[in-house]
Each structure stands twice: as structure tokens, then as C-alpha cells.
């Protein structure tokens, strides 16, 4: 296992999200030792200081950027990606729940976990916040596979004790006991973290939501992840399942599930009051444009969320989303924002899938850019990945324009190499 090296290439990373700042080295060197960034600078400066540039892996055409961060994705849903014709609640019942039920089979769960992680790496994603299934063992196997690859992954066993298919139901207490066992096994082990994962308010009883909040209090370093206000029928349905709550956010808030360690996917149809409370509590929104377009859920208003002071990260939400590629996810985000009257800039988009994502997950001390001491998760983007991209980039006159072309036209093909903690992953 080789976790050290010197990489000479074009290098781009975001150094601050607020205000947005980035650094671009036309001919840079990234020096990695023992899986960590030890230095970054212009090749010329390294050369003048006596560094033997000849020892570098030299890729003058590639663009090195930090590994991408996907803040909401479902590992079992590669099996239902690209499923036709339904909106959220029907899509869950018709495609998703039957597919997730297959993860009761441990052999299937083990091979599928490896396939999922390989697919993330192929897309250039090195960190993700992941929903597994409601099975204890399948979740354990996902952690085990991520640990093998030394990936920085946060995941959780899905809590769902009602209103889904009976094969997927846990029980209020049993689901929490399984989650606690997984926290003890995996949270803080290697580069892994645990997220307490009520699927959404409609599929958890009051008892389960209460116990989930109490579990987070006992383990305050864990994360919380769920879904909220994705689809209007869902919002109505949740108010019928939990008639005692004031609104959808309250179904989490009153059980201690909304704080700065919570990540809620979608947040499209939140009311003004919900948005204010969401921002006040410091919860994070996982904007999932590909999924929102594909399932037909609605258009997230990024500019409004920013005005409300809500921290927003980007997410593929596969299998609602149609690609694990964060480049394709950004391309969809750009289009959704255009429809809402806001033009997402290339560098803001890059920030959202690197340092901004890390900040949303409180992982910025470890990943997100090439600050010295951080873990060396990075990817090499190939501007000549396709003829169309290569031709268009030939007319680029700035790194901002070039990355805009990559985020608009790019996908897995653009990822020439993925490194996890300094180690090249086979794709
Ligand atoms: N809401 C509850 N479960 C899910 C899911 O698996 N995918 C999406 N997109 N929304 C959900
Ligand atoms: Zn989701």
C-alpha cells in the first residue's frame, strides 16, 4: 500500500467558502506523505528549493481537485436507479422498498456494498453520507467494505418501523438497539462515522423518533440524516401520519433531531417558519437536483435558502437521482438554479462538492481541500475525456470557464484517477 507521493499537475482547490476563495496552480506540486497533504505549491518554487521534480508523477493536462463529497445517497438504490414513471410515494413502494428488501441476504449485501463503493470512487466521490437499508447486518457490511478501502464514509442503518413493506420494518426499540451496536462498532473507527437515520417521519413511530433523539443525545458526535419536504403528497401524508405535530420540521424538531449535525435531503417545500427554524438550529440541507427533477418533486430555491441563512450542500440522492457523478449533479443544480433565476457559478459549485460539503458534515478539519495536514483524498480530471469536452475547453480562457465546462459536460469519464488518503484506487 503506497500512501505517499509527489503529484505534479494543474491543481485547483477552494480555500474558503465564506467568502469564496480558491487557489489555482497552473503547474503545481501536491506532496503527500502517509496519506496526508504535507505541502502544496508551484512546481517552480519546489524546484528552486532543491526538490527533485523528476520524482513527481507528472500529468500536465489533468486538473487535480479534492475528492468529491456527496451529502445524501442510498447505497442499495443502485439497484433501482433509472426506474420509470412514478412520483415519490409510488416510486418508494413500487421500486425502492422491494429492492431494499433483498439486502436481508448477507451475501448479496456484501457484494453490493463493494459495488456501491467502487461506483462512488469511479465517479470521483471519496466521502459520502449514506443511507444503508433497515438491516443491521447489511449496514455492518457496508461499514466493513468502506473500512477496507479506508474511505471517509458516514452511514446509518435506516430506521423504519411503520408504513413501509413489512419485510423492511424494524421495531422502535430494536432499530435503536441495532443503531447503538453499529455506533459502538464503527463510529470513529478508521475514517468512519455513524448517522442516526430515520428514513422520514412517515415511516417512524413517535416512539422510534423519540428514541432516535435520545440515542443522539447519548452519542452527540454522531450525525442525524433524514428526508423532509420533498414532494407535496408526502408533506400531506406526514401530517396525516403525525397529526399532533405543527408542521413537517416539527415532526423531527420535537424529538431532538434537528441540530447542526442533522442533514435533511430535499427541503423543497419548507414553509417560511420551517426555513427560519431550520436555519436557527444550524441544520444542513442536501440539495438533490437530479432526484428532484427525475422524480418530479420540485425545484429547490438555492438563492432563497442562502438568504434564509441555511447551509446547503449537494447530493446525488441515487437512486432517485440518476447519477453518482457529482459533476452531473452540479450540472443539474445549475439548471434548477437557472429556472429559479440564479446562475450558480463554477467556483461556488466546486465549493459545494468539496470544502462546503466537508463543512456541512463537520469534516473540514480532515478533508475538502489541500490544506497541509488534511487527508489526501483527491481526483484527477481529464479535460480531454471526450471529444466534445476537449474541443470546448480548447476555447477556454480561464480556469473558471474550464471547470464550468467540466461540470456541464462531465461524468465518470472525466475522472482519470481517484486517490483515497494518498492511495490510488483501482477504478
Ligand atoms: N423519502 C423517504 N425515503 C426516500 C428515498 O429512499 N428516496 C427519496 N428520494 N426520498 C425518500
Ligand atoms: Zn434520499
Amino acid at each position: 500500500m503506497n500512501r505517499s507521493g509527489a503529484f505534479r499537475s494543474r491543481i485547483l482547490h477552494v480555500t474558503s467558502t465564506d467568502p469564496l476563495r480558491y487557489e489555482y496552480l497552473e503547474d503545481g506540486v501536491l506532496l503527500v506523505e502517509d496519506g496526508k497533504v504535507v505541502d502544496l505549491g508551484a512546481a517552480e518554487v519546489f524546484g528552486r528549493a532543491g526538490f527533485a521534480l523528476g520524482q513527481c508523477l507528472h500529468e500536465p493536462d489533468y486538473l487535480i481537485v479534492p475528492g468529491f463529497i456527496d451529502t445524501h445517497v442510498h447505497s442499495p438504490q443502485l439497484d433501482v436507479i433509472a426506474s420509470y414513471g412514478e412520483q415519490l410515494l409510488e416510486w418508494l413502494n413500487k421500486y425502492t422498498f422491494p429492492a431494499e428488501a433483498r439486502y436481508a441476504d448477507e451475501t448479496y449485501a456484501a457484494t453490493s456494498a463493494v459495488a456501491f463503493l467502487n461506483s462512488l470512487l469511479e465517479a470521483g466521490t471519496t466521502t459520502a453520507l449514506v443511507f444503508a437499508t433497515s438491516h443491521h447486518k447489511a449496514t455492518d457490511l457496508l461499514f466493513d467494505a468502506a473500512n477496507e478501502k479506508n474511505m471517509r464514509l458516514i452511514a446509518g442503518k435506516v430506521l423504519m418501523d411503520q408504513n413501509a413493506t413489512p419485510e423492511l420494518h424494524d421495531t422502535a426499540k430494536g432499530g435503536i438497539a441495532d443503531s447503538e451496536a453499529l455506533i459502538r462498532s464503527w463510529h470513529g473507527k478508521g475514517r468512519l462515522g455513524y448517522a442516526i437515520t430515520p428514513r422520514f417521519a412517515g415511516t417512524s413511530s413517535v416512539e422510534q423518533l423519540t428514541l432516535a433523539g435520545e440515542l443522539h443525545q447519548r452519542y452527540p458526535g454522531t450525525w442525524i440524516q433524514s428526508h423532509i419536504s420533498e414532494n407535496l403528497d408526502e408533506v400531506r401524508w406526514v401530517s396525516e401520519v403525525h397529526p399532533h405535530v405543527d408542521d413537517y420540521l416539527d415532526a423531527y424538531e420535537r424529538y431532538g433531531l434537528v441540530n447542526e449535525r442533522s442533514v435533511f435531503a430535499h427541503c423543497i417545500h419548507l414553509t417560511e417558519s420551517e426555513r427560519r427554524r431550520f436555519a436557527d438550529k444550524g441544520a444542513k440541507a442536501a440539495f438533490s437536483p437530479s432526484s428532484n427533477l427525475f422524480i418530479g418533486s420540485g425545484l429547490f430555491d438555492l438563492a432563497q435558502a442562502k438568504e434564509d441563512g441555511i447551509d446547503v450542500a449537494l447530493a446525488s440522492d441515487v437512486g432517485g437521482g440518476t447519477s453518482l457523478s457529482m459533476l452531473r449533479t452540479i450540472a443539474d443544480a445549475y439548471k434548477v438554479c437557472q429556472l429559479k433565476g440564479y446562475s450558480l457559478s463554477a467556483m461556488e459549485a466546486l465549493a459545494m462538492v468539496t470544502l462546503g460539503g466537508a463543512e456541512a458534515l463537520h469534516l473540514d478539519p480532515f478533508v475538502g481541500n489541500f490544506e497541509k495536514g488534511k487527508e489526501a483524498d483527491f481526483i484527477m480530471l481529464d479535460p480531454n475525456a471526450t471529444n466534445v469536452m476537449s474541443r470546448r475547453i480548447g476555447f477556454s480562457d480561464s480556469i473558471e470557464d474550464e471547470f464550468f465546462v467540466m461540470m456541464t459536460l462531465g461524468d465518470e469519464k472525466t475522472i482519470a484517477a481517484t486517490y483515497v488518503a494518498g492511495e490510488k484506487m483501482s477504478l
Side-chain angles (χ1 to χ4, degrees):
M1 186 170 7
N2 186 6
R3 297 207 167 130
S4 302
F7 304 89
R8 180 177 179 186
S9 188
R10 301 186 302 133
I11 302 174
L12 172 67
H13 70 145
V14 172
T15 52
S16 155
T17 54
D18 189 15
L20 178 60
R21 291 211 174 91
Y22 49 93
E23 178 180 28
Y24 174 57
L25 297 161
E26 179 87 47
D27 181 11
V29 172
L30 177 68
L31 202 57
V32 175
E33 273 171 28
D34 259 345
K36 299 250 171 82
V37 174
V38 291
D39 210 353
L40 173 75
E44 193 205 344
V45 174
F46 271 72
R48 264 195 273 120
F51 185 84
L53 290 171
Q55 68 184 287
C56 295
L57 176 69
H58 191 197
E59 296 287 3
D61 289 343
Y62 288 170
L63 179 67
I64 292 181
V65 298
F68 294 144
I69 297 177
D70 185 346
T71 62
H72 179 86
V73 59
H74 298 255
S75 57
Q77 292 184 14
L78 274 188
D79 304 7
V80 292
I81 193 169
S83 290
Y84 172 77
E86 303 291 354
Q87 304 256 320
L88 177 65
L89 298 176
E90 299 77 28
W91 178 85
L92 286 170
N93 286 313
K94 183 168 170 183
Y95 300 117
T96 309
F97 293 157
E100 294 191 10
R102 289 203 288 270
Y103 284 70
D105 177 333
E106 292 175 16
T107 308
Y108 184 73
T111 53
S112 301
V114 174
F116 168 71
L117 297 175
N118 286 341
S119 303
L120 283 183
L121 294 169
E122 180 187 41
T125 297
T126 49
T127 286
L129 175 59
V130 184
F131 276 57
T133 61
S134 55
H135 308 99
H136 181 176
K137 188 64 193 173
T139 311
D140 189 61
L141 290 163
L142 175 66
F143 276 115
D144 198 37
N147 197 42
E148 275 289 304
K149 292 183 185 295
N150 194 29
M151 284 177 77
R152 194 164 265 291
L153 207 84
I154 306 168
K157 182 209 100 74
V158 174
L159 295 164
M160 46 193 300
D161 65 345
Q162 63 178 23
N163 295 331
T165 176
E167 305 121 274
L168 283 179
H169 286 162
D170 55 11
T171 61
K173 289 193 178 66
I176 298 299
D178 287 350
S179 303
E180 184 159 12
L182 288 162
I183 290 169
R184 287 173 174 273
S185 298
W186 296 110
H187 183 67
K189 181 166 182 180
R191 303 179 73 204
L192 304 174
Y194 194 83
I196 296 164
T197 307
R199 179 172 213 119
F200 60 161
T203 49
S204 282
S205 64
V206 165
E207 186 187 5
Q208 185 164 68
L209 293 169
T210 307
L211 292 173
E214 290 171 6
L215 183 64
H216 180 67
Q217 266 193 340
R218 287 203 298 287
Y219 298 93
T222 56
W223 286 259
I224 297 162
Q225 58 176 344
S226 194
H227 298 89
I228 194 167
S229 296
E230 176 176 4
N231 161 292
L232 291 171
D233 286 341
E234 169 217 9
V235 176
R236 259 190 303 277
W237 177 65
V238 166
S239 73
E240 287 161 21
V241 175
H242 294 291
H244 60 290
V245 301
D246 295 336
D247 52 33
Y248 200 158
L249 186 65
D250 187 40
Y252 300 116
E253 211 173 8
R254 66 170 62 204
Y255 305 113
L257 294 167
V258 183
N259 63 40
E260 67 287 343
R261 296 191 76 83
S262 316
V263 180
F264 287 96
H266 309 301
C267 305
I268 299 170
H269 307 289
L270 293 179
T271 63
E272 200 178 325
S273 159
E274 288 176 306
R275 297 202 309 271
R276 185 175 30 77
R277 282 146 48 216
F278 196 99
D280 286 349
K281 292 260 164 77
K284 317 298 175 191
F287 172 24
S288 309
S290 170
S291 169
N292 299 158
L293 292 168
F294 184 74
I295 308 187
S297 302
L299 302 173
F300 180 77
D301 193 337
L302 179 61
Q304 177 71 55
K306 282 170 28 148
E307 203 179 303
D308 292 333
I310 294 175
D311 292 332
V312 182
L314 263 176
S316 70
D317 191 32
V318 160
T322 52
S323 173
L324 285 175
S325 165
M326 294 312 287
L327 292 172
R328 285 190 60 184
T329 302
I330 300 174
D332 285 335
Y334 178 82
K335 293 169 193 168
V336 168
C337 289
Q338 283 287 81
L339 286 167
K340 288 295 209 180
Y342 177 71
S343 300
L344 178 65
S345 79
M347 293 302 113
E348 187 184 352
L350 176 66
M352 287 179 86
V353 296
T354 57
L355 185 60
E359 287 171 349
L361 301 180
H362 307 275
L363 293 178
D364 50 304
F366 310 109
V367 293
N369 64 11
F370 300 135
E371 221 174 85
K372 286 178 202 169
K374 286 199 185 183
E375 298 159 354
D377 286 352
F378 61 95
I379 56 182
M380 294 180 177
L381 303 177
D382 180 3
N384 301 311
T386 63
N387 290 328
V388 172
M389 183 184 284
S390 182
R391 183 182 174 85
R392 170 62 178 83
I393 285 177
F395 292 102
S396 268
D397 54 4
S398 67
I399 190 60
E400 293 82 359
D401 182 64
E402 180 175 340
F403 190 75
F404 186 73
V405 176
M406 285 183 170
M407 77 185 218
T408 304
L409 303 180
D411 58 19
E412 284 88 344
K413 285 195 289 295
T414 318
I415 313 300
T418 302
Y419 287 78
V420 169
E423 189 185 350
K424 188 172 183 186
M425 299 281 110
S426 48
L427 300 182

